[in-house]
Amino acid sequence: MDALRRLDPDIYELIRAEERYELDSIRLIPSENYVSQAVLEASGSILTNKYSEGYPGRRYYEGQRYIDSIETLAIERACALFGAQHANVQPYSGSPANLAVYFALLKPGDALMGLALPHGGHLTHGWSASVTGALWRPVQYTVERETHRIDYDAVRELARKERPKIIVTGATAYPRQFDFKVFAEIAREVGAYLLADISHIAGLIVAGVHPDPIPYADVVVTTTHKTLRGPRGAMILCRRELADRIDRAVFPGLQGGPHNHTTAAIAVTLKEAATPEFKRYGEQIVKNARTLADELLAHGFNLVSGGTDNHLILIDLTTKGITGKQAAQALDRAGIVCNYNTVPYDPRKPFNPSGIRIGTPAVTSRGMGEAEMRQVARWIDRVIAHPDDNENSGRIAGEVRELCARFPAPGIPLR
Ligand code: DSN
């Protein structure tokens, strides 16, 4: 980055500092990852120079000979990897992807049913603070109070009563698997489309360690930068009959020109995800999460739903006498990065809730395994036991740096 260093040393230094931070810390935010050097190169390429509104072979700009080939490759690889009939790889990220699906399939005021945000759903699944809760009539299901799991009978009952036009399955903070077959049966019974938002679990589905929604859902949305380990972007996969409506909703309905550098990086990501190494990566994410959860339970932590089936763990810290925000800040001082999060039926507000959310996609990308997860759990326990003891946090941060030095991060050169 010599040119950047000379032209804009401020930004250069900040990027270098973030690089060091990502290298020296245990990154447990379950929606984050480390992309490969190949993905970084495609993402930072001259493709950012291009405008190409439209789709391959149907553009509003001339000069698309290479861009068309790149987008076609991305589409073909997405369809092959997920077994989908159609893929749109242009959404800028997950929120616009979900909006495009609603714009394609709903009329203003139609009912949109999704998991409530405080129960693990996403803002764009119809939460009141989101435009999706304003343009459409939100119907929100919750997890069960005792088990913290989706109660499919309650979902069916609510769907029968409210007659949504789309039912969304998917979450940002749900540590268990989704039963897409049951969701599809409910959607069919009430005449709704089923949208599976697999943003968090796409890499696990590809690796075969989470059930696959493609046989059941009308539309599947995923971001490309979480467990799939690609650039920040999104894709919409759907049945052939819905392809035109989805494509028109993305462009010209919601977006202008696609971000071609991102499209190329998505194509590279999909090539990487089709390898046996990626399957092993997905399997290890889940093994690591289970080990981390078991070790936390052994240290007396209270986990939402009692554990995990996927890549993430939600810890309710109420019994430890500390809030999620205090815990996340103390952990950050010790070199362990996570986000604070509401837990189901949380009496506290989202900006200082009762829980933290942790996950294993990024640490698994560095090659860490079960032994390291047990160590991470011990560090979390030591920090949470003395959150205001900066000497303790500093000592742990040193130990964290030593461990991290043994596990190179993809895409970040060792200097
Ligand atoms: N904000 C993302 C996450 O952290 O899960 C979801 O969009």
Side-chain angles (χ1 to χ4, degrees), residues 31 122 172 200 226 357:
S31 46
H122 190 252
T172 62
H200 264 259
K226 298 187 174 92
R357 187 184 66 151

Side-chain angles (χ1 to χ4, degrees), residues 5 42 57 96 117 122 142 144-145 151 213 249 254 280 316 319 334 345 375 381 391:
R5 181 167 49 82
L117 182 77
H122 190 252
T142 56
E144 212 261 323
R145 190 178 277 274
D151 176 345
L254 199 64
R280 283 196 289 278
D316 183 345
T319 52
Y345 304 97
Q375 177 59 62
D381 185 48
E391 216 171 290

Side-chain angles (χ1 to χ4, degrees), residues 29-32 93-95 120-124 171-173 197 199-200 223 225-226 232 311-312 339 341 357:
I29 293 178
S31 46
E32 291 188 349
S93 201
S95 297
H122 190 252
L123 278 165
T124 58
T172 62
D197 180 344
S199 295
H200 264 259
T223 50
H225 47 270
K226 298 187 174 92
R232 300 198 78 99
H311 63 303
L312 74 80
N339 65 280
N341 216 98
R357 187 184 66 151

Side-chain angles (χ1 to χ4, degrees), residues 226-271:
K226 298 187 174 92
T227 48
L228 205 51
R229 209 163 57 180
R232 300 198 78 99
M235 307 190 294
I236 305 174
L237 311 170
C238 66
R239 290 188 280 105
R240 205 168 284 115
E241 311 86 89
L242 297 176
D244 268 2
R245 286 161 79 181
I246 294 292
D247 283 355
R248 274 188 281 112
V250 174
F251 172 83
L254 199 64
Q255 298 187 173
H259 294 177
N260 297 305
H261 52 304
T262 301
T263 307
I266 289 173
V268 176
T269 300
L270 295 167
K271 184 169 184 173

Side-chain angles (χ1 to χ4, degrees), residues 101-179:
V101 176
Y102 305 152
F103 187 52
L105 304 181
L106 296 177
K107 289 196 279 301
D110 279 349
L112 167 64
M113 181 164 157
L115 181 60
L117 182 77
H119 291 246
H122 190 252
L123 278 165
T124 58
H125 296 173
W127 188 242
S128 53
S130 150
V131 67
T132 62
L135 294 185
W136 297 285
R137 182 168 68 82
V139 176
Q140 301 274 273
Y141 57 94
T142 56
V143 296
E144 212 261 323
R145 190 178 277 274
E146 295 306 317
T147 62
H148 301 150
R149 293 179 190 238
I150 293 167
D151 176 345
Y152 291 91
D153 291 335
V155 172
R156 181 178 279 108
E157 203 177 307
L158 188 64
R160 281 179 180 158
K161 180 163 165 266
E162 300 290 348
R163 312 302 291 188
K165 285 285 177 306
I166 288 184
I167 298 177
V168 186
T169 167
T172 62
Y174 186 65
R176 298 296 177 178
Q177 296 187 344
F178 297 95
D179 192 333

